[in-house]
Amino acid sequence: MARSMAEETILESTERTSGREALRKNVQAAIALAGAVRSTLGPKGLDKLLVDDQGQTLVTNDGVTVLETAKVEHPVAKMIISASSTQDKVARDGTTTTVVICAEMLRNAWQLVRQGVHPTIIARGYGEAEKFALSSLDEISIKANNDQIKSAIETSLAGKLDKGMEKHLSNLALQAGEVILSKGRADPTRVKVIKQTGGNMQDTTLITGLALAKSRIHPEMKERGGPGSILILDGGLERRKPQFESKLNITSAGMVDAFRKAESKSLLAQIENLVEIGCDLLVCKEGVDEEARQALSNHGILTYRRVEKKDLDLLSRACGANLVPDAGRATKEDLGAFIKTREELRGGVNHWILDAEDSGATLIARGSTEIVLDEVVRCFADGLGVACQLLEEPILLPGAGATQVALGRRLRRYAETVPGREQLAIEAWADAIESIPRALAANAGFDGIDSLLKLTATQNESGDNIGLDLDDGDAKDTISRGILEPMKISRQAISGATEAAISILRIDDVLWAQMDAQIPDEVQESIQGFGAE
Ligand code: ADP
Ligand code: MG
């Protein structure tokens, strides 16, 4: 098969790199990536202004957003970004942490390789360190009470918005989480978000139940309270337009008329069927004709039309109703149940609110501009993710670097018991995990190394809960200060970062494009800054 020009060029400029050289390049890519996000770590981290292809701007303090927006083609960088995306999906937080730790693990591995330690040994040592650290987390963790859960949600939002807003969204996230908690499970997809541009973000509110920015099809229709039965129609109640073939010569005006009559009859028959099966509330994807509206109104069937498919799906789940294509063929079994239906004005917009067995909650997000609004929605989603995790598993770890320092102390003791070169790898892993307190300190304007030494010394005397006060640089108890993080975040960050680092260490020979411009300039520039704390 003939190769295209493009393929030809790529293959020609591709060179086979192997062993050390490949690893060096990969480590460099990882370090570049970490350099791009490290300065956002922690509540004193900087915001990044991102500009995408269309010239849209986005201000964020979120590591994964930075990485996902950057056009990164580098295969190793992609692996690390994918680890941070997994972190985001699984734990909703800790994405920057994952990237920073992973890069630091690779950098330390590179130092060992240069001293003659084989990557396979390092990979094995890293695996051991990961196992040991994960089991140590149990010793460091505490069981959370309700106040501590709230603090942990606030910690996860720290630095993303202003303090007041972080508190407000944390409260809403916890409330939403409590609404959807059922049988020990809290599924964040049961919280719907409606974006309302305009107004102050402080006016963001939570509604218990499923809310849609909709009004019933006619004000004369009675707003019935409920409980009752709901039918969800994946269609509408509209007359079809006559579609005679153009060839057909319509000789009599009566033909069109007859067609209309038949259609009206069919519409009314469909509505009769709804009455028969006992439908109180009708929701349609498409429109409802005037005469159908009249009939529905007469029968006291409250109706909403032109509801988006995704909302129909939510309604169907909330009420346990089937999506039916044809009102005429709907049966009793297709009906779902609702508890209450009402309409309310929120931010000047009418909202239809439905309470049902499984109707969850709805956030009405407000923000002066689209950008602010998006940030509010993103923060709420993060907070909600953390709230759900903590309602399911109320186990917390001390934040502000405390957990990483506590792990580092344990790992160094453990390393002494491991014979051979793996010991060096375990120490390198411990160094890497301690990059978090170092970076937190550096981003707050303190010396990273001094801060780490202070934390380690204080923990040796006072225990695992000592972390960094970013205002004065002192080592303090973080539990009483309410800087807390869900167990799941640290667990996932540790395993995600280690696994990505190990797979990168195992790539010992790659096909490599000579052209090295796969990392965006902004990211490249930060290479120099890395490790200079
Ligand atoms: P990530 O993307 O990894 O979640 P963040 O920018 O959210 O990164 O920073 C999280 C880190 O900030 C955690 O290590 C957390 O313990 C720390 N942190 C959060 N709030 C505080 C605080 N008030 N003081 C010190 N550290 C904090
Ligand atoms: Mg975070």
Side-chain angles (χ1 to χ4, degrees), residues 38 436-448 451 468 470 533:
R38 201 178 46 148
I436 297 306
R438 284 203 312 267
L440 285 173
N443 288 347
F446 300 105
D447 185 85
S451 302
L468 206 60
L470 298 180
E533 66 223 291

Side-chain angles (χ1 to χ4, degrees), residues 21 30 33 65 69 77 96 184 203 290 320 336 377 391 465 527:
E21 186 50 18
L33 204 62
T65 312
T69 314
T96 314
D203 299 331
E290 171 63 28
V377 169
L391 290 166
N465 300 340
I527 300 181

Side-chain angles (χ1 to χ4, degrees), residues 40-43 93-97 155 158 399-400 436 440 468 470 483 485:
T40 71
L41 186 78
D93 201 6
T95 52
T96 314
T97 302
T155 303
I436 297 306
L440 285 173
L468 206 60
L470 298 180
I483 304 167
E485 290 173 332

